[in-house]
Amino acid sequence: MDKIQMYRQSGIDEDVSRFGEAVAGRLKERFDQIDEIAEFNQMKVIRAMQESQVSEACLTGTTGYGYNDLGRDKLEEVYARTFHTEAAIVRPLIACGTHALSIALFGNLRPGDELLSISGLPYDTLQEVIGIRPSKGSLFEYGITYRQVDLKADGSFDFDAIRKAISDKTALVTIQRSKGYESRRTLSVNQIGEAIACVKSVRPDLKVMVDNCYGEFVEEEEPSDVGADMIVGSLIKNPGGGLAPVGGYIAGTKECVENASYRMTCPGLGAEIGPSLTMNTSFFQGFFLSPVVTAAALKGAVFAASCYEKLGFSCLPDAKEGRHDIIQAVTLGSPEGIIAFCKGIQKAAPVDSFVSPEPWDMPGYDDPVIMAAGAFVEGSSIELSADGPIRPPYNVYFQGGLTWPSAKFGILMSMQSMKEAGLIQLPKGE
Ligand SMILES: *Cc1c(COP(=O)(O)O)cnc(C)c1O
């Protein structure tokens, strides 16, 4: 049996799989570039593990208070070495990316301070943390004000407006690397470095935090290499490598990480307590795998853009441009498009392939959201997943895929589903 037959038995008709083969056949050079970055980052992680002298004893865990948790302490050292920061906290007690970001913000801001976002409106769930949308327990309720500088129309930083927005009150600047659910470009590490330099030229003492979600290991450098005082992310995205079942991290200067630690647990205790439970092996192993898992996800994203552009949809990033996160947005133009796409992704999953996703009012989001995920870890978006808020211009956000073939299968199945719903026509002669 050949591959085309195998796909046919898995629900992909021959037109779709042949179209996919033709598109994939033209991506060799792109994939080689992605593999080069993965190789570089793989070496960064291995060296960090070796230099930290990770040993078999690090793979067991602690319970209760978690005093003297060797594995936890070494893991945090490995993150700090990999990201070139003074310190890091990496914990299963951090429930998700929003929680990690919230800890970092609350820990480093005080009543009367102002938080300044220089990359426009932050990710949906953070709007409630900040109090942009009124919310119980928000920073706003604690007397921390918020100010925002939007990105320019071309998606670049507005340096003049940033300089003007910084005042004596400004205590922390936040930058979101990934586009999230916005129709804008993801920021490159290089661009982030320029923005940090601009901020520090006005006030060298000003702390800068970068929401690094979905960005880890996509480039050879991280925002912490270009001046960020803190980078923050989720372990059920890139750095968990698909193996971490929960968790978040904050890596940065000793002062920023320590401040955050008193919010993660409580004043006085900070990072001294907090058991790793049974997570150490999956956290280490997931971080070890993360560079190649991220590469698989990137290949899936490039393949998706290459297919959907050929089908006449606009893609962000487009099929040709460089990548700064693993997210692929495709403007499908209708609610039916988003729903058919997500149903296809779900059908290609290793887990829960037989269920059909529907839009729902998710906590933390303003519009109904549809999410397709048949993942080993609930909500994991380093695994093959797609989601989109049901609002114009009806973008679907596709991400993840622990392996390149599984990501490819997901995209093929999304096209099959779109085709069956009469929403796409495959080009002739592929
Ligand atoms: C995923 C994400 C977050 C955090 O989301 P959680 O679902 O709480 O993990 C924050 N910012 C961005 C840009 C994200 O992509």
Side-chain angles (χ1 to χ4, degrees):
M1 183 163 56
D2 69 5
K3 194 161 71 175
I4 301 291
Q5 281 173 303
M6 178 58 120
Y7 277 131
R8 194 188 301 132
Q9 290 190 356
S10 312
I12 310 283
D13 72 28
E14 198 166 327
D15 286 350
V16 173
S17 54
R18 291 210 185 278
F19 174 64
E21 287 311 297
V23 172
R26 292 190 284 265
L27 295 174
K28 188 170 178 326
E29 210 175 303
R30 280 307 289 284
F31 284 16
D32 285 348
Q33 290 164 359
I34 291 169
D35 287 334
E36 285 289 316
I37 294 173
E39 192 177 334
F40 184 92
N41 285 326
Q42 182 74 80
M43 291 313 298
K44 262 206 288 195
V45 174
I46 292 177
R47 275 185 50 197
M49 289 190 175
Q50 293 180 342
E51 283 165 7
S52 305
Q53 298 202 316
V54 173
S55 65
E56 199 181 340
C58 298
L59 303 178
T60 57
T62 58
T63 55
Y65 296 108
Y67 290 128
N68 304 315
D69 190 321
L70 178 69
R72 180 196 69 200
D73 294 349
K74 287 287 187 190
L75 178 77
E76 293 180 340
E77 190 181 330
V78 167
Y79 266 67
R81 281 186 194 271
T82 303
F83 295 145
H84 306 122
T85 59
E86 290 172 3
I89 44 182
V90 187
R91 303 287 173 113
L93 303 180
I94 301 177
C96 62
T98 307
H99 188 199
L101 288 155
S102 178
I103 288 167
L105 291 171
F106 274 97
N108 282 282
L109 289 162
R110 296 291 180 270
D113 283 350
E114 187 158 87
L115 170 68
L116 173 65
S117 166
I118 60 170
S119 51
L121 194 62
Y123 191 74
D124 289 55
T125 55
L126 273 184
Q127 295 171 21
E128 286 178 299
V129 172
I130 297 167
I132 298 170
R133 282 184 284 141
S135 179
K136 276 203 172 151
S138 67
L139 289 168
F140 180 77
E141 283 200 346
Y142 286 89
I144 295 155
T145 56
Y146 170 75
R147 199 172 164 146
Q148 178 177 317
V149 175
D150 289 332
L151 293 168
K152 293 203 283 194
D154 66 358
S156 64
F157 286 104
D158 189 340
F159 293 111
D160 287 336
I162 292 170
R163 280 185 210 101
K164 284 200 198 96
I166 295 170
S167 70
D168 291 343
K169 258 185 89 153
T170 314
L172 187 75
V173 170
T174 181
I175 299 172
Q176 183 180 307
R177 179 171 176 181
S178 175
K179 63 185 157 297
Y181 285 151
E182 299 291 316
S183 290
R184 62 137 163 121
R185 286 200 151 61
T186 285
L187 297 159
S188 69
V189 171
N190 202 20
Q191 280 178 297
I192 291 171
E194 285 166 14
I196 295 172
C198 168
V199 167
K200 303 252 174 186
S201 74
V202 183
R203 285 225 353 238
D205 60 311
L206 201 46
K207 291 174 192 155
V208 180
M209 176 183 93
V210 176
D211 174 351
N212 207 27
C213 282
Y214 289 127
E216 298 89 354
F217 298 130
V218 171
E219 299 184 50
E220 289 179 356
E221 287 193 311
E222 299 293 337
S224 45
D225 291 310
V226 294
D229 297 278
M230 259 190 299
I231 60 173
V232 183
S234 162
L235 266 55
I236 63 168
K237 294 178 180 173
N238 310 16
L243 291 185
V246 67
Y249 78 89
I250 301 167
T253 63
K254 204 163 169 293
E255 187 197 344
C256 283
V257 171
E258 188 182 344
N259 284 341
S261 78
Y262 297 129
R263 264 287 165 168
M264 177 183 68
T265 62
C266 60
L269 298 181
E272 296 292 318
I273 69 150
S276 59
L277 302 168
T278 55
M279 299 302 154
N280 278 336
T281 299
S282 39
F283 281 13
F284 275 116
Q285 201 174 357
F287 198 57
F288 169 76
L289 290 178
S290 173
V292 290
V293 170
T294 301
L298 277 173
K299 289 175 186 176
V302 170
F303 179 64
S306 305
C307 289
Y308 276 91
E309 244 175 35
K310 261 216 143 341
L311 295 170
F313 296 95
S314 96
C315 293
L316 193 71
D318 70 29
K320 293 264 153 30
E321 69 192 292
R323 301 269 152 172
H324 308 295
D325 68 7
I326 63 166
I327 303 192
Q328 181 60 52
V330 183
T331 305
L332 293 169
S334 69
E336 296 75 32
I338 297 187
I339 293 166
F341 185 102
C342 289
K343 286 187 190 293
I345 295 294
Q346 186 77 38
K347 272 194 191 167
V351 179
D352 285 337
S353 60
F354 51 88
V355 304
S356 194
E358 300 292 342
W360 65 298
D361 289 311
M362 256 186 84
Y365 296 85
D366 255 358
D367 300 282
V369 178
I370 183 167
M371 296 203 156
F376 296 99
V377 172
E378 191 208 294
S380 166
S381 46
I382 186 61
E383 297 186 57
L384 186 69
S385 52
D387 38 72
I390 307 293
R391 68 180 178 217
Y394 302 105
N395 285 329
V396 77
Y397 299 83
F398 163 84
Q399 65 271 313
L402 296 182
T403 67
W404 150 238
S406 70
K408 179 179 175 185
F409 181 44
I411 300 300
L412 292 175
M413 197 55 108
S414 75
M415 292 192 290
Q416 182 73 35
S417 171
M418 297 277 288
K419 186 182 171 211
E420 284 168 13
L423 297 165
I424 56 168
Q425 247 183 328
L426 296 173
K428 293 265 178 307
E430 282 288 342

